[in-house]
Amino acid sequence: MKPIEILLVEDNPGDARLTREALTHSKVRNRLHHARDGEEAMAFLRREGRFADAPAPDLVLLDLNLPRRDGREVLEDIKGDAQLMHIPVVVLTSSQADEDILRSYRLHANCFITKPVDLEQLTKVVQGIEQFWFTLVKLPPEI
């Protein structure tokens, strides 16, 4: 079985490292790709420039507060693009603001999760994402 391709869009190196560590202990084979800002994420998704050979992700883990192009814009671009809109997007952010939650769902996020600040809790959240999206859910085939 081929590994699950995950694109993590996260500008905080510590959060990216913790997410990578949590997924390393995953029961499901996965390959984590990391974009540090919204511009890099869209280049990866559209396979532009140095990402020409990038695999299509099966799931995007998206922070909202990103440099260059914020996560809300990235979410809008993904869900507005016929080639990308089928990819599930999990908003994984430090925001707890009702307006961010509502806007994310209006932009067709598949779910919204507030990142805990505690390492142990973040690991549990990532494991929960893994269990739900890679064990219970049938992901769409690559187009």
Side-chain angles (χ1 to χ4, degrees), residues 10-31:
E10 173 61 68
D11 64 318
N12 181 310
D15 287 349
R17 181 181 51 77
L18 294 176
T19 302
R20 182 177 303 281
E21 286 178 16
L23 286 167
T24 298
H25 302 295
S26 170
K27 295 176 183 159
V28 176
R29 284 185 47 216
N30 67 76
R31 290 190 341 171

Side-chain angles (χ1 to χ4, degrees), residues 59-108:
L59 182 72
V60 174
L61 301 176
L62 178 65
D63 188 17
L64 290 182
N65 302 309
L66 299 168
R68 296 178 59 196
R69 173 179 230 126
D70 86 353
R72 296 155 196 86
E73 294 172 296
V74 172
L75 179 58
E76 186 171 21
D77 288 349
I78 292 170
K79 295 305 182 177
D81 185 318
Q83 297 298 313
L84 304 174
M85 66 188 336
H86 69 282
I87 302 170
V89 177
V90 173
V91 173
L92 184 60
T93 185
S94 57
S95 175
Q96 297 181 38
D98 287 344
E99 74 179 52
D100 282 337
I101 297 167
L102 185 58
R103 184 168 179 204
S104 294
Y105 282 116
R106 283 186 175 152
L107 292 172
H108 306 289

